[in-house]
Amino acid sequence: MADSLAENSEDADATLATRSWEKMRNEREKAGYREGVAAGQESCLQKGFDQGFQDNLAYSKSLGYMSGVLRGLLALRDSMDIPDLSETSQQEMKKMVEEVDSLQRVAPPSPDQSMTDRGQECSEQSPVSSCTTEASHADAFVELKTEFDNLMQGINLSGVVR
């Protein structure tokens, strides 16, 4: 009978040890899973931030360049004679400066695709107003950039810029 009690005691100790081991293992697995999820989220967020920063930097840089050139030419028109800067061109430039200013006040379009494709994708996916707004900003940027490039090709700055 003493042997039976000793065996029962050993079995109970083994069962208790097994349960304790399983409990600690489960806790460690859960903690490891939580840590892995947190690390994955942080990594994903950082990559998204880095990509968004890079895309928005290019967008902002383009707007800043256009704004600087347009404002510079408008400021120079009074002090220097720019042969191809007609009254119509000056009015176009003033309008473009206003458009650049309005685009600089809104968030840039999302970086998923090229500027021209963003508007098409939004209108095909859903009629959500934020998507429409984003598409109109992307379209406005593309249109403004085209107008700017066309205007700059028509202005001869060889005698002004050294």
Side-chain angles (χ1 to χ4, degrees):
M1 182 155 183
D3 288 335
S4 170
L5 287 176
E7 286 178 17
N8 285 344
S9 176
E10 287 176 10
D11 287 342
D13 287 345
T15 303
L16 182 61
T18 302
R19 286 184 189 160
S20 294
W21 172 254
E22 288 295 319
K23 183 179 177 184
M24 284 191 312
R25 187 177 63 103
N26 285 338
E27 288 173 358
R28 294 295 170 222
E29 283 179 0
K30 288 178 185 177
Y33 176 79
R34 277 189 235 115
E35 290 173 12
V37 167
Q41 287 174 340
E42 184 177 317
S43 173
C44 185
L45 287 173
Q46 185 63 47
K47 286 178 186 174
F49 174 83
D50 292 345
Q51 184 63 47
F53 185 85
Q54 183 179 13
D55 291 340
N56 293 331
L57 180 64
Y59 173 82
S60 298
K61 188 176 177 182
S62 293
L63 287 176
Y65 174 78
M66 288 187 283
S67 177
V69 169
L70 291 169
R71 290 175 195 277
L73 287 172
L74 287 171
L76 284 174
R77 77 172 190 267
D78 295 331
S79 62
M80 304 181 109
D81 184 31
I82 302 174
D84 298 326
L85 197 55
S86 66
E87 186 63 36
T88 305
S89 294
Q90 291 177 34
Q91 293 304 319
E92 286 178 39
M93 291 170 72
K94 287 178 183 177
K95 180 181 157 241
M96 289 171 138
V97 167
E98 290 174 7
E99 289 177 29
V100 167
D101 288 346
S102 71
L103 286 174
Q104 286 177 326
R105 285 191 287 272
V106 296
S110 65
D112 306 34
Q113 302 172 340
S114 68
M115 291 288 193
T116 52
D117 293 341
R118 290 179 194 161
Q120 293 170 353
E121 180 186 87
C122 281
S123 61
E124 291 169 1
Q125 287 181 359
S126 70
V128 178
S129 63
S130 65
C131 195
T132 304
T133 303
E134 181 179 295
S136 65
H137 293 314
D139 292 342
F141 176 80
V142 170
E143 185 178 322
L144 178 64
K145 181 78 171 98
T146 303
E147 288 176 26
F148 175 80
D149 291 341
N150 291 338
L151 179 71
M152 295 314 300
Q153 288 176 357
I155 297 175
N156 180 6
L157 298 174
S158 60
V160 178
V161 180
R162 297 180 214 293

